[in-house]
Amino acid sequence: MARLDRPVSRRQSQWLLLAAVTAFAPLATHMPVWLAVFAGAAFVWRGWIIQRGGRLPPRWLLVLLVIAGSLGVFFEYRSLFGRTPGIALLLIFLSLKLMELRAPRDAVVTVLLCYFLILGQFLFTQTILTACVTCLAVVITTAALLAANNDRPTIKQQFEHAGRLLLQALPFMLLLFVLFPRVNGPLWGLPEDRRTALSGLTDAMAPGTIAQLSQSDAIAFRVAFTGAFKGIAPAQSSLYWRGLVMPDFDGRTWRVSQTREAYTTPPYAEESRHSKPIDYELTLEPHGKRWLFALESPTTLPAESGLTRDYQLLSRQPVRSRMRYTQRAVPDIQKGLTDPPEVLQESLALPKNSNPRTRAIAISWRQRHGDNDAAILQAAEDFFSRQLLRYTLNPPLTGSDSVDEFLFDNKRGFCEHFASAFAFALRAAGVPARVVAGYQGGEINPVDGFLVVRQYDAHAWTEVWLSKQGWVRVDPTAIAAPRRIDSSLATAIPANETLPFLARNDMAWLKAIRYQIDAVTNGWNQWVLGYDPQRQRDLLTRLGLDADWRNMTALLTILCGASLLLLTGWVLRQRERIDPVRRAWQRFTAKLAKRGIVWQPWEGPDTLAARAASQLPAHATKIHAIARSYARLRYAAHPPSKGLVELNQSIRDLSL
Amino acid sequence: MQPSEHHLLLTQLLTDINRIILGKKEPVRMALACLLAGGHLLVEDLPGVGKTTLAHVLARVLGLDLQRIQFTSDMLPADIIGVSVFDRASGAFHFHPGPIFTQMVLADELNRATPKAQSALLEAMEERQVTIEGATRALPAPFFVIATQNPAFQIGTFPLPESQLDRFLLKIELGYPDAAAERELLAGADRRQMVAELTPRLLPPQLLELQQKTRSVHASPALIAYIQALAAFTRSSPLWVAGLSPRAGLALLAVARAWALLDGRDHVLPEDVQAVLPGVIAHRLRFHDDTRKVGAGETANRLIEAVPLP
């Protein structure tokens, strides 16, 4: 035990400094530069004092530094509360606490501060790397805690001891992780994450918006197919991950018009004419917006979400942490046959006096085909293929009549140009049409079988309303670049255009490594970070347990109790194994201890007997006899056969 | 001889010695234990406290031949182990044995000699034989070396390296006598004369039998475990540069056995180990902080109090 009057030794200071630096280093990158320098300088100063000697700074200077640091944090963040300012304050306290290590109490406070800051890392990142760094830091800090109590063992022994202790704690940690009843919501979510910028689709689409996304290989979401499609993903060309519906056009930009949920259950019939339902589980990376992605057409809605009038899937809260939902999609469901007229009206609106050439040709289709909308749609598709449009990542900039310029002048564009022009042309011909943005395709990771959809899979297409069929998906990009839809982006664009590394088709070995890393990361996300009530239920059901939280608590209590019982039993057994001679000696020393003669564990029997006899001269003979008898039993080659019985008897007879 | 006879004989030996070396019961007992355990003894202290007298007394009462080698800085190995000289009359080389060919060697002021001369003696101590010009010559049995050494801070000394110190089973210090003993010494007869008048109590075969008896003193598993725990602790403790070697553990056990025999016991107690610990570890453990002058007793106490009895 730490004695309160003992000063903190040099060795202990070194340990504490090491623990503080390991707790600080990973956090430094999240801190403002001045703070990192402040804490770093404090550590260097402390190290200097340890190595070269010197006095610790006086208390008034520390108080000044604390005030200065706190003011710095306040002016940096305009607050002393919340994630980053809180951690920043604690880092300042930690770096200055090292300057006043005067008693073991200070050492313990430092260690606890280190533990807290180590956990604080998870408020910033939760990757596997973070977990590894954290484990290392916990070992070092635990070793420092051990050293704070006993600084005699070597560095290696301290680490071994700390490692052993933590390994012993590991089973309990796993039990608690698996069985402790989970609450909904992320393990490490904090309200402050709101302002973080995340890449992904936005609620408006202008020329260039999606081409920009095609330069990012960040993951949008991962999909595990289950049911009939387990192990065999549906064809690439059917993987349209519908996200935002944009009926609102101002001549250049398409926008989402509705963000109100209209339906809490799908308003269309579930039965399909001839296609199999697709079951899957989608893990969405946080993108900070409300919309969710799903294959057409979802038959159930994720928890806390709804459909808008144009069947856009919306979560009630912005997606700020990884979110997982199970879906069953039925293709070929007819939707929108009963849509209210204002929805159709909205899908016909056009800005006045824009794109005259497209309008003219659209009006010519209407004149030729009368009120046959399906024939007009066919005419539009024919027109798009006749124009020999080229699919490219680097289209030329367009002016105010962007659709005209794309269709008649430069004839080069990315998917947003195609979708925009197609929807415009149909509206000009009087057919309700709108732009839909989402993702198309994805890539199966052969390691874990997950379909990974990245930002460069972002895509835009159109939906056209036909009186007999409702809303029909039409992808004008497929007319010019069918390979974008059938296979991937890389096969569809010209070879000289640059793509993010993962979207490319060369460098297979590097890609294989990335697959591995991604599979591990995904496993981590799914099973560690994403271990939510649902996963817990799944796992426990698979283990044949009823996953009610009451049962889980009971199971947890039983398992922890059983382990503790086992441990206690083991300790007791160890004690049982102490031989009877030893126990006799313990009884003897206990008797002496009552008279204030405490046996030191290093004292031999004769030494103790001599000491005891001098203090209790009346019992000297008996004490000496007991000690001699014990010594013979323990150390002689041939102890007397009845020695133990006699020893016990004489200890009983000894009444002090 | 019966066990009680051993004890009687050893008590007589101690009485004889203590009559001449006054007020030094503990070191004398240690010295005798060292010889019973068959090891060599290093006596370190200032000149004139009775180191040489101790050697003379021991040789006398144990009935051993004593040769004294006074080490100096110009000494050569041949001065210790002997030399072959050409005999003109027979036309051949004849070996003239050095002073080492005896039962007990008093190596006086060992640390005044150069390392080369020191190592000639130390090798003989270890091997108990001497190899000169290809011929190996056994040294007599029993063979003891009692080396004396001045504390290293005196001028003109070559301190012995740790590896060679390890060859001495025990290191003892005599120190100044207490007031009463010193007065008695001043008033008493000439020590040299008294030594000459002593009668030997033992013959060499009896001494060998006593040594045999020492080796058969019982060490219980609990005691073996204790010695091991002591050695293990010195290895893990940051106090010392290096821990005790297994050879040191063997030395500790051997001397503890002799100590038990001197007490008339046929088994070793932890107290025996604790009693001889200072002499066994004083020249084997070196503190990290070398500037502090820590006595053998304090070192041993620290060690004893850190290791509980198993």
Side-chain angles (χ1 to χ4, degrees), chain A residues 450-484:
Chain A
F450 272 76
L451 180 89
V452 182
V453 177
R454 295 174 187 274
Q455 293 302 345
Y456 59 66
D457 292 315
H459 190 55
W461 59 92
T462 54
E463 279 180 352
V464 182
W465 193 86
L466 300 175
S467 56
K468 299 247 168 50
Q469 298 170 47
W471 287 104
V472 177
R473 181 180 69 222
V474 181
D475 189 350
T477 308
I479 298 168
R483 301 179 71 177
R484 164 67 184 86

